[in-house]
């Protein structure tokens, strides 16, 4: 069963925001199972009953902050896609700039990526509805949002593939996923030189896989003049 988002109505927006920010920190620090509504109330400096004015239970609160964080990251990445991939000047340079900016954006959302680490660590203990919503909003669906940009580039003859989503997933795997895994989702930030090496190698491999084959000039007609 899918858990519904957004949470129940009621309560002051500033209180809800304080609760969400506190919950993101507590879940990231304690994990889903260990975190308690009491601890979140203390972190948010609100009464426990105030939390229940905004959220039905801990499950709904966890889902809400996970989805809100994923949507914030998605919005930031969309800005980067528009900046780097809408108007292509040099494909390799533009792809590299996009992937570098995207990798560096990890540091802008530390509380969210702490929550991502919780999801990975406790995946077998999370409610099924929470996990499904996360899959729809989080990194597992990132290739679906990148695919239209790659399709548009391919329509210009700069890339060649049969399936844009598979190509987008390959680009993510060769660049972003490696940065996330090696940095433990931002817990151990990588040196800039390491990020650049991952991205440069990944983009180079991606282009070798999907760059159009060079056209072969047609053979010249034989000169039959004597």
């Amino acid at each position: 069963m899918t858990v519904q988002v957004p949470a129940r109505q009621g309560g002051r927006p500033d209180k809800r925001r304080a609760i969400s920010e506190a919950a993101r920190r507590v879940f990231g620090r304690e994990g889903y199972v260990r975190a308690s509504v009491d601890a979140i109330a203390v972190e948010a400096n609100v009464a426990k009953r105030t939390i229940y004015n905004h959220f039905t239970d801990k499950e709904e609160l966890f889902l809400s902050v996970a989805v809100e964080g994923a949507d914030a990251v998605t919005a930031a990445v969309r800005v980067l896609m528009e900046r780097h991939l809408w108007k292509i000047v040099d494909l390799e340079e533009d792809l590299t700039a996009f992937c570098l900016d995207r990798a560096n954006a990890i540091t802008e959302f530390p509380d969210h990526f702490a929550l991502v680490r919780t999801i990975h660590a406790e995946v077998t203990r999370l409610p099924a509805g929470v996990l499904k919503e996360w899959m729809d909003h989080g990194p597992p669906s990132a290739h679906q949002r990148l695919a239209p940009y790659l399709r548009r580039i391919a329509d210009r003859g700069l890339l060649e593939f049969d399936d844009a989503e598979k190509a987008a997933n390959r680009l993510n795997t060769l660049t972003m996923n490696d940065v996330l895994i090696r940095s433990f989702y931002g817990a151990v930030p990588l040196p800039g030189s390491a990020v650049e090496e991952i991205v440069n190698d990944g983009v180079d491999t991606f282009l070798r896989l999907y760059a159009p084959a060079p056209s072969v000039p047609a053979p010249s007609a034989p000169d039959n003049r004597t």
Side-chain angles (χ1 to χ4, degrees):
M1 181 179 68
T2 300
V3 181
Q4 295 297 313
V5 177
R8 59 196 280 187
Q9 299 298 314
R12 290 165 46 189
D14 58 329
K15 290 291 186 182
R16 178 187 170 90
R17 185 166 52 252
I19 293 166
S20 294
E21 291 173 356
R24 189 173 290 108
R25 291 192 298 271
V26 172
F27 284 129
R29 185 171 67 238
E30 304 293 336
Y32 176 74
V33 173
R34 290 182 56 191
S36 67
V37 175
D38 289 296
I40 293 168
V42 171
E43 184 87 9
N45 195 29
V46 300
K48 185 176 177 179
R49 66 178 178 274
T50 303
I51 293 180
Y52 289 116
N53 287 339
H54 294 268
F55 301 95
T56 302
D57 50 26
K58 186 174 82 169
E59 179 178 332
E60 185 181 57
L61 177 54
F62 182 86
L63 174 58
S64 177
V65 297
V67 168
E68 285 175 4
D71 287 347
V73 174
T74 294
V77 173
R78 185 175 292 112
V79 170
L80 298 179
M81 290 190 294
E82 287 288 319
R83 180 186 304 160
H84 296 296
L85 303 182
W86 182 250
K87 184 178 181 181
I88 297 297
V89 177
D90 180 291
L91 181 57
E92 182 174 5
E93 289 184 5
D94 291 333
L95 282 176
T96 300
F98 163 66
C99 292
L100 283 173
D101 280 355
R102 187 180 180 191
N104 291 330
I106 296 172
T107 60
E108 299 176 16
F109 302 92
D111 291 339
H112 171 71
F113 282 102
L115 197 67
V116 173
R117 292 193 292 274
T118 289
I119 291 171
H120 281 258
E122 301 189 42
V123 63
T124 59
R125 290 178 284 183
L126 291 176
V130 169
L131 193 58
K132 181 183 183 304
E133 289 289 340
W134 163 252
M135 294 287 285
D136 290 342
H137 287 260
S141 60
H143 65 287
Q144 296 171 349
R145 294 182 286 274
L146 176 58
Y149 290 86
L150 297 187
R151 168 50 62 195
R152 187 172 182 273
I153 294 170
D155 289 343
R156 292 181 53 190
L158 300 176
L159 293 172
E160 191 173 84
F161 45 70
D162 295 324
D163 189 319
E165 286 195 10
K166 286 184 179 180
N169 190 57
R170 183 65 60 84
L171 181 60
N172 287 343
T173 300
L174 291 169
T175 57
M176 191 64 185
N177 289 7
D178 201 7
V179 173
L180 288 171
I181 291 169
R182 287 178 56 180
S183 69
F184 296 91
Y185 289 83
V188 184
L190 296 177
S193 58
V195 175
E196 289 180 10
E197 182 179 2
I198 292 169
V199 168
N200 288 332
D201 288 348
V203 170
D204 180 67
T205 300
F206 177 81
L207 290 177
R208 283 190 276 114
L209 288 169
Y210 294 110
S215 57
V216 178
S220 302
D223 189 349
N224 296 322
R225 293 177 297 173
T226 58

